[in-house]
Amino acid sequence: MKEKHEDVEATQLKRGLTNRHIQLIALGGSIGTGLFLGIGPAAVLAGPSVILGYAIAGIIAFFIMRQLGEMVVEEPVSGSFSYFAYKYCGSFAGFASGWNYWILYILVSMAELTAIGVYVQFWWPEIPLWASSLFFFLIINALNFASVKVYGETEFWFSIIKVVAIIAMILFGTYLLISGTGGEHATIHNLYNDGGFFPKGFFEKNANGSFQGLLSAMALIMFSFGGLELIGITAAEAENPEKNIPKATNQVIYRILIFYVGALVILFALSPWRQITTDSSPFVMVFQNLNGMEFELFGNKIYFTRLIANVLNLIVLTAALSVYNSSVYSNSRMLFGLADQGSAPKFLKKLNKQSVPVNAILISSCFAAICILINKVIPEEAFSILMSLVVSCLVINWVMISYTHLQFRRTKDKENVKTKFASLFYPVSNYICFVFLLGILSIMWMTDMKLSVELIPIWLIILFIFCKIFKAKE
Protein backbone atom coordinates (compact mmCIF):
# COMPACT_ATOMS: atom_id res chain seq x y z
CA MET A 1 0.00 0.00 0.00
CA LYS A 2 2.79 2.40 0.90
CA GLU A 3 4.61 1.88 -2.42
CA LYS A 4 1.39 2.39 -4.35
CA HIS A 5 0.69 5.60 -2.44
CA GLU A 6 4.20 6.92 -3.23
CA ASP A 7 3.77 6.07 -6.94
CA VAL A 8 0.57 8.13 -7.07
CA GLU A 9 2.27 11.07 -5.35
CA ALA A 10 5.18 10.85 -7.78
CA THR A 11 2.86 11.82 -10.64
CA GLN A 12 0.93 14.58 -8.88
CA LEU A 13 1.74 18.20 -8.15
CA LYS A 14 1.68 19.19 -4.49
CA ARG A 15 -0.37 22.01 -3.02
CA GLY A 16 2.57 24.00 -1.70
CA LEU A 17 1.39 27.55 -2.45
CA THR A 18 -0.19 29.26 0.54
CA ASN A 19 -2.63 32.17 0.56
CA ARG A 20 0.15 34.78 0.83
CA HIS A 21 1.95 33.15 -2.12
CA ILE A 22 -1.20 33.20 -4.28
CA GLN A 23 -2.02 36.81 -3.41
CA LEU A 24 1.47 38.09 -4.20
CA ILE A 25 1.86 35.91 -7.33
CA ALA A 26 -1.41 37.37 -8.62
CA LEU A 27 -0.31 40.85 -7.60
CA GLY A 28 3.12 40.46 -9.18
CA GLY A 29 1.62 39.13 -12.40
CA SER A 30 0.12 42.54 -13.10
CA ILE A 31 3.35 44.48 -12.56
CA GLY A 32 6.13 43.80 -15.02
CA THR A 33 7.91 44.87 -18.17
CA GLY A 34 4.63 45.87 -19.80
CA LEU A 35 4.30 48.68 -17.28
CA PHE A 36 7.93 49.61 -16.72
CA LEU A 37 9.28 49.35 -20.27
CA GLY A 38 6.30 48.78 -22.59
CA ILE A 39 4.72 52.11 -21.66
CA GLY A 40 7.48 53.91 -23.61
CA PRO A 41 6.38 52.89 -27.13
CA ALA A 42 2.71 53.31 -26.19
CA ALA A 43 3.30 56.83 -24.83
CA VAL A 44 5.15 57.84 -27.99
CA LEU A 45 2.13 56.75 -30.05
CA ALA A 46 -0.63 58.27 -27.95
CA GLY A 47 0.67 60.60 -25.24
CA PRO A 48 -1.28 60.87 -21.96
CA SER A 49 -4.35 59.12 -23.43
CA VAL A 50 -2.61 55.78 -22.85
CA ILE A 51 -3.85 56.15 -19.25
CA LEU A 52 -7.40 55.65 -20.56
CA GLY A 53 -6.16 52.80 -22.75
CA TYR A 54 -4.73 50.95 -19.76
CA ALA A 55 -7.99 51.42 -17.84
CA ILE A 56 -10.09 50.00 -20.72
CA ALA A 57 -7.75 47.05 -21.33
CA GLY A 58 -7.68 46.46 -17.57
CA ILE A 59 -11.47 46.11 -17.43
CA ILE A 60 -11.38 43.54 -20.25
CA ALA A 61 -8.58 41.70 -18.45
CA PHE A 62 -10.71 41.63 -15.30
CA PHE A 63 -13.66 40.14 -17.20
CA ILE A 64 -11.37 37.44 -18.60
CA MET A 65 -9.91 36.69 -15.17
CA ARG A 66 -13.37 36.34 -13.63
CA GLN A 67 -14.36 33.92 -16.40
CA LEU A 68 -11.21 31.86 -15.84
CA GLY A 69 -11.63 32.14 -12.07
CA GLU A 70 -15.14 30.68 -12.21
CA MET A 71 -13.88 27.58 -14.03
CA VAL A 72 -10.76 27.17 -11.87
CA VAL A 73 -12.62 27.42 -8.55
CA GLU A 74 -15.13 24.82 -9.76
CA GLU A 75 -12.39 22.44 -10.94
CA PRO A 76 -8.88 23.31 -9.59
CA VAL A 77 -6.71 21.13 -11.85
CA SER A 78 -3.34 21.28 -13.59
CA GLY A 79 -3.38 22.68 -17.11
CA SER A 80 -5.93 25.36 -16.22
CA PHE A 81 -7.81 26.67 -19.28
CA SER A 82 -6.23 24.05 -21.55
CA TYR A 83 -7.96 21.40 -19.44
CA PHE A 84 -11.27 23.28 -19.65
CA ALA A 85 -10.96 23.82 -23.40
CA TYR A 86 -10.24 20.10 -23.81
CA LYS A 87 -13.21 19.11 -21.63
CA TYR A 88 -15.82 21.57 -22.87
CA CYS A 89 -14.75 22.39 -26.46
CA GLY A 90 -13.01 19.27 -27.73
CA SER A 91 -9.52 17.81 -28.12
CA PHE A 92 -8.24 20.36 -30.65
CA ALA A 93 -9.35 23.30 -28.51
CA GLY A 94 -7.51 21.83 -25.52
CA PHE A 95 -4.45 21.01 -27.59
CA ALA A 96 -4.35 24.43 -29.29
CA SER A 97 -5.01 26.55 -26.20
CA GLY A 98 -2.41 24.68 -24.16
CA TRP A 99 0.36 24.82 -26.73
CA ASN A 100 -0.51 28.42 -27.67
CA TYR A 101 -0.19 29.39 -24.02
CA TRP A 102 3.13 27.61 -23.83
CA ILE A 103 4.42 29.47 -26.89
CA LEU A 104 3.00 32.71 -25.45
CA TYR A 105 5.09 32.33 -22.33
CA ILE A 106 8.15 31.25 -24.25
CA LEU A 107 7.83 34.59 -26.07
CA VAL A 108 7.16 36.40 -22.79
CA SER A 109 10.29 34.75 -21.37
CA MET A 110 12.27 36.03 -24.33
CA ALA A 111 10.83 39.54 -23.97
CA GLU A 112 11.61 39.62 -20.25
CA LEU A 113 15.15 38.36 -20.76
CA THR A 114 15.62 41.08 -23.38
CA ALA A 115 14.24 43.73 -21.01
CA ILE A 116 16.63 42.49 -18.31
CA GLY A 117 19.51 43.18 -20.68
CA VAL A 118 18.18 46.71 -21.32
CA TYR A 119 18.01 47.44 -17.59
CA VAL A 120 21.54 46.10 -16.99
CA GLN A 121 22.85 48.38 -19.74
CA PHE A 122 21.60 51.37 -17.73
CA TRP A 123 24.56 50.70 -15.43
CA TRP A 124 26.96 48.97 -17.81
CA PRO A 125 26.25 49.92 -21.45
CA GLU A 126 29.23 47.86 -22.59
CA ILE A 127 27.61 44.57 -21.52
CA PRO A 128 25.77 43.04 -24.52
CA LEU A 129 22.12 42.06 -24.14
CA TRP A 130 22.80 38.38 -24.70
CA ALA A 131 25.32 38.19 -21.84
CA SER A 132 22.87 39.58 -19.26
CA SER A 133 20.11 37.36 -20.64
CA LEU A 134 22.27 34.25 -20.28
CA PHE A 135 23.35 35.08 -16.73
CA PHE A 136 19.83 35.53 -15.36
CA PHE A 137 18.50 32.69 -17.51
CA LEU A 138 20.74 30.28 -15.61
CA ILE A 139 19.90 31.66 -12.15
CA ILE A 140 16.10 31.71 -12.52
CA ASN A 141 15.94 28.24 -14.05
CA ALA A 142 18.09 26.87 -11.23
CA LEU A 143 15.60 28.27 -8.69
CA ASN A 144 12.67 26.62 -10.46
CA PHE A 145 14.21 23.17 -10.15
CA ALA A 146 13.65 23.43 -6.38
CA SER A 147 10.23 22.86 -4.80
CA VAL A 148 7.14 24.90 -5.67
CA LYS A 149 7.51 26.54 -2.26
CA VAL A 150 10.87 27.96 -3.37
CA TYR A 151 9.22 29.40 -6.46
CA GLY A 152 6.36 30.77 -4.34
CA GLU A 153 8.72 32.28 -1.80
CA THR A 154 10.95 33.83 -4.49
CA GLU A 155 7.96 35.30 -6.29
CA PHE A 156 6.51 36.51 -2.98
CA TRP A 157 9.58 38.65 -2.27
CA PHE A 158 9.95 39.78 -5.89
CA SER A 159 6.34 40.97 -5.76
CA ILE A 160 6.79 42.65 -2.36
CA ILE A 161 9.63 44.72 -3.83
CA LYS A 162 7.55 45.70 -6.87
CA VAL A 163 4.47 46.60 -4.89
CA VAL A 164 6.32 48.65 -2.27
CA ALA A 165 8.29 50.41 -5.02
CA ILE A 166 5.20 51.35 -7.05
CA ILE A 167 3.34 52.61 -3.98
CA ALA A 168 6.41 54.58 -2.84
CA MET A 169 6.84 56.06 -6.31
CA ILE A 170 3.18 57.11 -6.46
CA LEU A 171 3.33 58.68 -2.98
CA PHE A 172 6.67 60.37 -3.61
CA GLY A 173 5.57 61.63 -7.03
CA THR A 174 2.37 62.97 -5.50
CA TYR A 175 4.42 64.79 -2.87
CA LEU A 176 6.66 66.35 -5.54
CA LEU A 177 3.60 67.59 -7.43
CA ILE A 178 1.78 68.97 -4.39
CA SER A 179 4.89 70.59 -2.90
CA GLY A 180 6.03 72.00 -6.25
CA THR A 181 9.51 70.52 -5.81
CA GLY A 182 9.43 68.16 -8.80
CA GLY A 183 11.01 70.69 -11.15
CA GLU A 184 9.71 73.41 -13.44
CA HIS A 185 8.13 70.90 -15.82
CA ALA A 186 6.35 68.85 -13.14
CA THR A 187 2.65 69.70 -13.11
CA ILE A 188 -0.66 67.89 -13.39
CA HIS A 189 -1.33 70.13 -16.39
CA ASN A 190 1.09 67.93 -18.38
CA LEU A 191 -1.86 65.58 -18.82
CA TYR A 192 -3.54 68.01 -21.21
CA ASN A 193 -1.48 71.18 -21.85
CA ASP A 194 0.45 69.90 -24.89
CA GLY A 195 -2.13 69.01 -27.51
CA GLY A 196 -4.75 67.95 -24.98
CA PHE A 197 -5.35 64.54 -23.39
CA PHE A 198 -5.45 63.04 -26.92
CA PRO A 199 -2.51 64.90 -28.54
CA LYS A 200 -2.27 62.39 -31.38
CA GLY A 201 -5.96 61.71 -31.78
CA PHE A 202 -7.64 58.33 -31.65
CA PHE A 203 -6.38 56.65 -34.79
CA GLU A 204 -4.86 58.70 -37.60
CA LYS A 205 -1.88 58.72 -39.91
CA ASN A 206 1.09 60.93 -39.19
CA ALA A 207 3.44 62.61 -41.69
CA ASN A 208 5.38 59.36 -42.15
CA GLY A 209 2.25 57.45 -43.16
CA SER A 210 2.14 55.31 -40.00
CA PHE A 211 -0.76 55.29 -37.53
CA GLN A 212 -0.74 57.08 -34.19
CA GLY A 213 -3.25 57.83 -31.43
CA LEU A 214 -4.92 55.92 -28.60
CA LEU A 215 -6.25 53.03 -30.69
CA SER A 216 -2.86 52.43 -32.34
CA ALA A 217 -1.33 52.02 -28.86
CA MET A 218 -3.92 49.51 -27.62
CA ALA A 219 -2.02 46.48 -28.94
CA LEU A 220 1.10 47.58 -27.06
CA ILE A 221 -1.02 48.19 -23.95
CA MET A 222 -2.36 44.63 -24.21
CA PHE A 223 1.18 43.35 -23.75
CA SER A 224 1.13 44.67 -20.19
CA PHE A 225 -1.71 42.39 -19.13
CA GLY A 226 -0.21 39.10 -20.26
CA GLY A 227 0.46 37.22 -17.06
CA LEU A 228 -2.75 37.68 -15.15
CA GLU A 229 -3.77 34.14 -16.22
CA LEU A 230 -1.13 32.86 -13.84
CA ILE A 231 -3.81 32.87 -11.14
CA GLY A 232 -5.44 29.94 -12.95
CA ILE A 233 -2.18 28.04 -13.45
CA THR A 234 -1.49 28.01 -9.70
CA ALA A 235 -4.80 26.27 -8.92
CA ALA A 236 -3.41 22.72 -8.88
CA GLU A 237 -0.74 23.71 -6.34
CA ALA A 238 -2.75 26.17 -4.26
CA GLU A 239 -3.93 25.48 -0.75
CA ASN A 240 -7.69 26.01 -0.38
CA PRO A 241 -8.26 27.20 -3.99
CA GLU A 242 -11.99 27.79 -3.39
CA LYS A 243 -11.08 30.62 -1.02
CA ASN A 244 -7.73 31.89 -2.28
CA ILE A 245 -8.37 32.01 -6.05
CA PRO A 246 -11.51 34.22 -5.83
CA LYS A 247 -9.78 36.56 -3.41
CA ALA A 248 -6.79 36.99 -5.73
CA THR A 249 -8.98 37.35 -8.84
CA ASN A 250 -11.23 40.03 -7.36
CA GLN A 251 -8.23 42.17 -6.49
CA VAL A 252 -7.17 42.42 -10.15
CA ILE A 253 -9.32 45.48 -10.85
CA TYR A 254 -7.94 47.37 -7.83
CA ARG A 255 -4.37 46.55 -8.79
CA ILE A 256 -4.94 47.85 -12.30
CA LEU A 257 -6.42 51.11 -11.05
CA ILE A 258 -3.68 51.68 -8.47
CA PHE A 259 -0.56 50.31 -10.11
CA TYR A 260 -1.24 51.14 -13.75
CA VAL A 261 -3.56 54.12 -13.85
CA GLY A 262 -2.18 55.70 -10.66
CA ALA A 263 1.47 55.23 -11.61
CA LEU A 264 0.91 56.54 -15.15
CA VAL A 265 -0.89 59.66 -13.95
CA ILE A 266 2.15 60.45 -11.79
CA LEU A 267 4.57 59.62 -14.63
CA PHE A 268 2.90 61.95 -17.13
CA ALA A 269 2.47 64.69 -14.52
CA LEU A 270 6.17 64.67 -13.55
CA SER A 271 7.43 64.89 -17.12
CA PRO A 272 6.00 66.22 -20.42
CA TRP A 273 4.95 63.26 -22.54
CA ARG A 274 7.18 64.32 -25.44
CA GLN A 275 10.27 63.62 -23.32
CA ILE A 276 9.36 59.92 -23.02
CA THR A 277 11.33 57.65 -25.36
CA THR A 278 11.45 53.95 -26.19
CA ASP A 279 15.13 53.55 -25.26
CA SER A 280 14.73 52.84 -21.53
CA SER A 281 12.14 52.66 -18.76
CA PRO A 282 10.20 55.99 -18.68
CA PHE A 283 10.00 55.69 -14.88
CA VAL A 284 13.79 55.53 -14.58
CA MET A 285 14.15 58.38 -17.09
CA VAL A 286 11.79 60.71 -15.21
CA PHE A 287 13.62 60.33 -11.90
CA GLN A 288 17.01 60.44 -13.59
CA ASN A 289 16.02 63.84 -15.05
CA LEU A 290 15.57 65.11 -11.49
CA ASN A 291 19.26 64.49 -10.81
CA GLY A 292 20.88 67.46 -9.04
CA MET A 293 17.59 69.12 -8.13
CA GLU A 294 16.72 70.21 -4.60
CA PHE A 295 13.51 69.57 -2.68
CA GLU A 296 12.33 69.97 0.88
CA LEU A 297 11.07 67.10 3.04
CA PHE A 298 9.84 67.74 6.61
CA GLY A 299 11.78 71.00 6.70
CA ASN A 300 15.03 69.45 5.48
CA LYS A 301 16.63 70.20 2.13
CA ILE A 302 17.43 67.06 0.15
CA TYR A 303 19.19 66.81 -3.20
CA PHE A 304 18.31 64.34 -5.91
CA THR A 305 21.20 62.16 -6.91
CA ARG A 306 21.60 59.42 -9.47
CA LEU A 307 20.98 57.04 -6.57
CA ILE A 308 17.21 57.41 -6.98
CA ALA A 309 17.35 56.41 -10.65
CA ASN A 310 19.70 53.54 -9.75
CA VAL A 311 17.29 52.23 -7.12
CA LEU A 312 14.36 52.51 -9.51
CA ASN A 313 16.30 50.68 -12.23
CA LEU A 314 17.04 47.92 -9.72
CA ILE A 315 13.32 47.70 -9.03
CA VAL A 316 12.32 47.43 -12.68
CA LEU A 317 15.03 44.80 -13.10
CA THR A 318 13.43 42.91 -10.21
CA ALA A 319 10.06 43.21 -11.95
CA ALA A 320 11.44 41.66 -15.14
CA LEU A 321 13.09 38.85 -13.15
CA SER A 322 9.78 38.26 -11.40
CA VAL A 323 7.83 37.88 -14.64
CA TYR A 324 10.50 35.62 -16.13
CA ASN A 325 10.43 33.54 -12.94
CA SER A 326 6.65 33.19 -13.32
CA SER A 327 7.05 32.34 -17.01
CA VAL A 328 9.35 29.41 -16.22
CA TYR A 329 6.88 28.20 -13.60
CA SER A 330 3.74 28.55 -15.75
CA ASN A 331 5.31 27.00 -18.84
CA SER A 332 6.43 23.90 -16.98
CA ARG A 333 3.00 23.46 -15.36
CA MET A 334 1.21 23.92 -18.67
CA LEU A 335 3.38 21.24 -20.30
CA PHE A 336 2.69 18.98 -17.32
CA GLY A 337 -1.05 19.59 -17.75
CA LEU A 338 -0.87 18.91 -21.51
CA ALA A 339 0.97 15.64 -20.88
CA ASP A 340 -1.61 14.72 -18.24
CA GLN A 341 -4.51 15.18 -20.69
CA GLY A 342 -2.69 13.32 -23.47
CA SER A 343 -1.79 16.34 -25.61
CA ALA A 344 1.97 16.19 -24.99
CA PRO A 345 4.58 13.41 -24.56
CA LYS A 346 4.24 11.51 -21.28
CA PHE A 347 7.89 12.11 -20.30
CA LEU A 348 6.89 15.71 -19.54
CA LYS A 349 4.95 14.42 -16.51
CA LYS A 350 8.15 13.34 -14.75
CA LEU A 351 8.51 14.92 -11.32
CA ASN A 352 11.57 15.09 -9.11
CA LYS A 353 11.56 14.40 -5.35
CA GLN A 354 10.25 17.93 -4.74
CA SER A 355 7.28 17.31 -7.11
CA VAL A 356 8.69 19.70 -9.72
CA PRO A 357 8.15 18.76 -13.43
CA VAL A 358 11.85 18.73 -14.34
CA ASN A 359 11.55 17.64 -17.97
CA ALA A 360 8.92 20.30 -18.63
CA ILE A 361 11.26 22.96 -17.23
CA LEU A 362 14.18 21.69 -19.32
CA ILE A 363 12.22 21.68 -22.58
CA SER A 364 10.76 25.14 -21.94
CA SER A 365 14.18 26.52 -21.03
CA CYS A 366 15.75 25.22 -24.23
CA PHE A 367 13.21 27.13 -26.32
CA ALA A 368 13.41 30.29 -24.20
CA ALA A 369 17.19 30.22 -24.67
CA ILE A 370 16.61 31.14 -28.33
CA CYS A 371 16.19 34.67 -26.93
CA ILE A 372 19.90 34.79 -26.17
CA LEU A 373 20.64 34.18 -29.86
CA ILE A 374 18.05 36.78 -30.95
CA ASN A 375 19.61 39.36 -28.64
CA LYS A 376 23.00 38.66 -30.14
CA VAL A 377 21.85 38.86 -33.78
CA ILE A 378 19.26 41.71 -33.66
CA PRO A 379 19.53 43.36 -30.22
CA GLU A 380 17.84 46.64 -31.21
CA GLU A 381 14.72 45.06 -32.75
CA ALA A 382 14.41 42.09 -30.38
CA PHE A 383 11.99 43.57 -27.83
CA SER A 384 9.54 45.11 -30.31
CA ILE A 385 9.39 41.91 -32.41
CA LEU A 386 8.80 39.72 -29.37
CA MET A 387 6.19 42.11 -27.99
CA SER A 388 4.08 41.98 -31.17
CA LEU A 389 4.21 38.16 -31.26
CA VAL A 390 3.23 38.02 -27.58
CA VAL A 391 0.14 40.14 -28.25
CA SER A 392 -1.01 37.81 -31.05
CA CYS A 393 -0.70 34.73 -28.84
CA LEU A 394 -2.33 36.61 -25.96
CA VAL A 395 -5.37 37.44 -28.12
CA ILE A 396 -5.76 33.76 -29.06
CA ASN A 397 -5.38 32.83 -25.42
CA TRP A 398 -8.03 35.26 -24.17
CA VAL A 399 -10.47 34.37 -26.95
CA MET A 400 -10.13 30.70 -26.01
CA ILE A 401 -10.69 31.42 -22.30
CA SER A 402 -13.82 33.48 -22.97
CA TYR A 403 -15.22 31.00 -25.52
CA THR A 404 -14.47 28.02 -23.27
CA HIS A 405 -16.21 29.80 -20.43
CA LEU A 406 -19.35 30.15 -22.57
CA GLN A 407 -19.36 26.40 -23.17
CA PHE A 408 -18.58 25.72 -19.52
CA ARG A 409 -21.54 27.79 -18.31
CA ARG A 410 -23.91 26.28 -20.87
CA THR A 411 -22.94 22.81 -19.66
CA LYS A 412 -23.35 23.75 -16.00
CA ASP A 413 -26.72 25.40 -16.69
CA LYS A 414 -27.96 22.22 -18.39
CA GLU A 415 -26.83 20.24 -15.36
CA ASN A 416 -28.55 22.77 -13.06
CA VAL A 417 -25.23 23.38 -11.30
CA LYS A 418 -24.77 26.72 -9.57
CA THR A 419 -21.08 27.60 -9.70
CA LYS A 420 -19.25 28.83 -6.59
CA PHE A 421 -17.62 31.92 -8.17
CA ALA A 422 -19.83 33.20 -10.99
CA SER A 423 -18.27 35.57 -13.53
CA LEU A 424 -19.52 39.11 -13.99
CA PHE A 425 -22.29 39.95 -16.49
CA TYR A 426 -22.33 36.52 -18.17
CA PRO A 427 -22.74 36.17 -21.13
CA VAL A 428 -22.61 39.88 -22.06
CA SER A 429 -19.06 40.26 -20.74
CA ASN A 430 -17.93 37.36 -22.95
CA TYR A 431 -19.21 39.07 -26.10
CA ILE A 432 -17.70 42.40 -25.02
CA CYS A 433 -14.35 40.61 -24.75
CA PHE A 434 -14.74 39.09 -28.22
CA VAL A 435 -15.47 42.49 -29.79
CA PHE A 436 -12.53 44.11 -27.99
CA LEU A 437 -10.08 41.38 -28.99
CA LEU A 438 -11.26 41.45 -32.62
CA GLY A 439 -10.66 45.19 -32.53
CA ILE A 440 -7.11 44.65 -31.28
CA LEU A 441 -6.40 42.32 -34.20
CA SER A 442 -7.88 44.87 -36.63
CA ILE A 443 -5.61 47.60 -35.25
CA MET A 444 -2.58 45.32 -35.49
CA TRP A 445 -3.52 44.50 -39.10
CA MET A 446 -3.44 48.18 -40.05
CA THR A 447 -0.19 48.96 -38.25
CA ASP A 448 3.34 47.59 -38.36
CA MET A 449 2.16 44.51 -36.43
CA LYS A 450 0.40 43.15 -39.51
CA LEU A 451 2.79 40.22 -39.84
CA SER A 452 1.90 39.02 -36.33
CA VAL A 453 -1.78 38.87 -37.35
CA GLU A 454 -0.99 37.09 -40.62
CA LEU A 455 0.90 34.43 -38.68
CA ILE A 456 -2.15 33.56 -36.53
CA PRO A 457 -3.98 31.36 -39.11
CA ILE A 458 -0.69 29.73 -40.07
CA TRP A 459 0.01 29.01 -36.41
CA LEU A 460 -3.49 27.54 -35.90
CA ILE A 461 -3.08 25.32 -38.97
CA ILE A 462 0.25 24.06 -37.61
CA LEU A 463 -1.41 23.30 -34.27
CA PHE A 464 -4.25 21.47 -36.04
CA ILE A 465 -1.80 19.30 -38.02
CA PHE A 466 0.25 18.44 -34.94
CA CYS A 467 -2.91 17.70 -32.99
CA LYS A 468 -4.01 15.20 -35.64
CA ILE A 469 -0.55 13.61 -35.76
CA PHE A 470 -0.29 13.37 -31.99
CA LYS A 471 -3.79 11.96 -31.50
CA ALA A 472 -3.21 9.43 -34.31
CA LYS A 473 -0.31 7.95 -32.35
CA GLU A 474 -2.44 7.27 -29.28
Side-chain angles (χ1 to χ4, degrees), residues 230-450:
L230 190 58
I231 299 173
I233 298 294
T234 62
E237 295 171 280
E239 295 178 359
N240 196 4
E242 289 187 13
K243 177 183 177 182
N244 295 333
I245 298 297
K247 188 175 180 181
T249 303
N250 281 333
Q251 291 177 354
V252 166
I253 190 67
Y254 305 113
R255 295 197 298 270
I256 290 168
L257 290 175
I258 295 172
F259 297 119
Y260 278 90
V261 177
L264 292 177
V265 168
I266 296 300
L267 174 71
F268 282 99
L270 286 176
S271 176
W273 65 269
R274 292 187 190 276
Q275 292 184 9
I276 296 176
T277 67
T278 60
D279 299 331
S280 63
S281 169
F283 292 96
V284 175
M285 180 211 73
V286 166
F287 284 93
Q288 186 178 17
N289 289 343
L290 297 174
N291 187 30
M293 293 182 60
E294 172 189 304
F295 73 101
E296 190 172 298
L297 184 63
F298 303 121
N300 300 310
K301 288 187 177 181
I302 300 175
Y303 294 90
F304 273 104
T305 66
R306 186 175 167 83
L307 176 64
I308 295 176
N310 283 331
V311 170
L312 195 54
N313 195 65
L314 178 62
I315 290 165
V316 298
L317 173 61
T318 301
L321 289 171
S322 168
V323 177
Y324 177 56
N325 186 39
S326 294
S327 297
V328 175
Y329 168 81
S330 60
N331 262 341
S332 60
R333 272 52 178 188
M334 181 55 77
L335 281 187
F336 178 89
L338 284 167
D340 194 42
Q341 73 183 28
S343 296
K346 294 297 180 185
F347 79 91
L348 294 172
K349 287 186 65 177
K350 181 182 178 181
L351 303 177
N352 63 12
K353 292 180 180 179
Q354 290 75 38
S355 297
V356 172
V358 286
N359 288 341
I361 291 178
L362 285 171
I363 293 298
S364 298
S365 299
C366 288
F367 280 87
I370 296 172
C371 165
I372 298 167
L373 178 62
I374 293 174
N375 282 329
K376 185 170 179 60
V377 177
I378 48 172
E380 294 182 359
E381 298 88 0
F383 185 75
S384 59
I385 292 172
L386 291 170
M387 187 160 61
S388 63
L389 292 174
V390 165
V391 174
S392 292
C393 288
L394 182 63
V395 168
I396 296 173
N397 186 31
W398 283 13
V399 167
M400 284 303 304
I401 291 174
S402 203
Y403 178 74
T404 299
H405 177 257
L406 279 177
Q407 304 307 313
F408 166 86
R409 279 295 297 266
R410 287 168 182 167
T411 300
K412 295 301 177 184
D413 290 344
K414 287 179 182 178
E415 297 172 351
N416 293 317
V417 174
K418 186 176 181 180
T419 58
K420 305 179 185 73
F421 184 51
S423 65
L424 294 176
F425 311 123
Y426 164 84
V428 175
S429 62
N430 297 71
Y431 296 116
I432 290 174
C433 292
F434 291 145
V435 171
F436 175 83
L437 294 170
L438 180 61
I440 292 294
L441 290 180
S442 300
I443 291 167
M444 293 173 67
W445 176 266
M446 291 185 282
T447 62
D448 55 5
M449 291 186 177
K450 183 177 181 179

Side-chain angles (χ1 to χ4, degrees), residues 122-133:
F122 176 77
W123 295 305
W124 302 289
E126 68 277 6
I127 296 180
L129 286 180
W130 68 266
S132 301
S133 300

Side-chain angles (χ1 to χ4, degrees), residues 42-53 194-206 210-218 221 273-274 443:
V44 169
L45 283 174
S49 64
V50 294
I51 298 171
L52 176 61
D194 185 7
F197 188 67
F198 299 93
K200 296 195 174 183
F202 284 92
F203 193 64
E204 55 190 49
K205 285 187 177 181
N206 58 23
S210 57
F211 284 97
Q212 62 181 19
L214 175 59
L215 295 181
S216 66
M218 288 304 297
I221 290 171
W273 65 269
R274 292 187 190 276
I443 291 167

Side-chain angles (χ1 to χ4, degrees), residues 3 60 97 103 160 242 282 464:
E3 289 182 2
I60 300 299
S97 61
I103 285 293
I160 284 286
E242 289 187 13
F464 182 78

